[in-house]
Amino acid sequence: MDGLVAGKVALVTGAGSGIGRAAARALAREGARVAVADVDRAGGEETLAAIRSAGGQAELVACDVSRDAEVAAAVRSVVERWGRLDCAVNNAGVATEGGLLHQLTLEEWERTLAVNLSGVFYCMRHEIPVMIGQGGGAIVNTSSGAGVVAAPLLAHYCATKHGVLGLTKTAAQENARTGVRVNAILPGVVDTPMLQRHMAKGPLIEQGIRAAALRGSLGRPEEVAEAAVWLCSDRASLVSGVSLVLDGGALGR
């Protein structure tokens, strides 16, 4: 088979829309069998249909990553169906309303941490043992440009995305000799439903977001997906513990 990840089995969380959907489609296009995981069943079904209509192989896995038991069940179902788990893109995330740090509600804080940070921990907690047992694998965690710089009015989101990098680097070093590679992608301003909802809050917010797109246009989910696929592939065999910024050079200013 042709393709960067031909013959591999991949799990993508948050695959019902945005970057997760693009990653699931790209992995399938490059030859992987893909488990499409999302708490949004309708979105997951749309991704599944898109993959299958393009000739790819995929199955839907209902999963709320903020619940460890559901993550465990999702990973177990992938292994039971296809016998292994070679790649995982831990992408599921949320961005709640936000505001000044001291005005954030406990509900906003706890929900954001549960999905964006604990969710990544739960995923790796169950993915890594499977990959070690089969002799290796590749994990890609979705952080953000907000994982390396401040994000005013989004302290909760910023904290989780910084935390994802800490988990990623630690897991990479712990698994340097197990064959399991762990990396993170850090998208900048990418045209996803989440970003569109944020821009819809007001013209000044939209103006600020678009100004942050240094190249003059928003990134596309498909552009981010290409990086995730490469990191999952054997072409990236020496790459682990890396935080790959995908923002058109904006953070280099």
Side-chain angles (χ1 to χ4, degrees):
M1 293 184 291
D2 295 327
L4 282 176
V5 287
K8 294 185 183 293
V9 174
L11 168 66
V12 182
T13 67
S17 65
I19 292 170
R21 173 175 290 176
R25 295 186 67 177
L27 285 162
R29 183 198 69 215
E30 294 295 328
R33 290 166 286 178
V34 182
V36 174
D38 206 298
V39 70
D40 174 14
R41 187 173 184 86
E45 291 281 6
E46 291 177 4
T47 302
L48 185 66
I51 291 173
R52 288 179 173 175
S53 67
Q57 297 184 62
E59 295 294 337
L60 183 64
V61 179
C63 179
D64 179 349
V65 299
S66 71
R67 299 179 181 275
D68 180 71
E70 290 195 24
V71 174
V75 172
R76 186 167 56 248
S77 71
V78 173
V79 177
E80 288 174 351
R81 180 170 186 82
W82 286 316
R84 57 189 300 109
L85 176 63
D86 301 291
C87 319
V89 180
N90 299 323
N91 170 80
V94 295
T96 60
E97 188 68 21
L100 295 172
L101 186 151
H102 62 281
Q103 295 175 339
L104 290 173
T105 66
L106 288 179
E107 182 180 8
E108 285 181 292
W109 174 260
E110 291 168 357
R111 174 60 178 164
T112 305
L113 262 68
V115 176
N116 294 5
L117 188 56
S118 292
V120 171
F121 165 70
Y122 297 151
C123 285
M124 289 201 292
R125 178 171 181 260
H126 296 289
E127 294 159 354
I128 289 173
V130 172
M131 292 179 178
I132 290 174
Q134 67 193 21
I139 294 173
V140 178
N141 297 320
T142 300
S143 178
S144 166
V148 290
V149 297
L153 305 182
L154 291 171
H156 51 336
Y157 182 81
C158 184
T160 61
K161 294 305 184 178
H162 274 69
V164 166
L165 297 186
L167 290 176
T168 298
K169 294 172 184 178
T170 300
Q173 292 203 359
E174 289 178 349
N175 288 280
R177 297 191 179 188
T178 68
V180 180
R181 296 184 295 104
V182 188
N183 294 290
I185 50 175
L186 287 67
V189 284
V190 178
D191 192 5
T192 64
M194 183 184 294
L195 186 73
Q196 288 292 339
R197 288 192 295 271
H198 193 55
M199 290 196 298
K201 294 176 182 178
L204 290 179
I205 293 177
E206 180 175 358
Q207 181 180 344
I209 289 173
R210 292 192 180 279
L214 197 61
R215 70 179 185 179
S217 62
L218 301 178
R220 293 180 293 108
E222 292 78 12
E223 294 176 293
V224 179
E226 292 299 324
V229 172
W230 179 74
L231 287 170
C232 284
S233 79
D234 294 338
R235 300 277 182 91
S237 58
L238 195 59
V239 183
S240 194
V242 164
S243 302
L244 182 58
V245 178
L246 305 163
D247 72 347
L251 286 182
R253 289 186 289 184

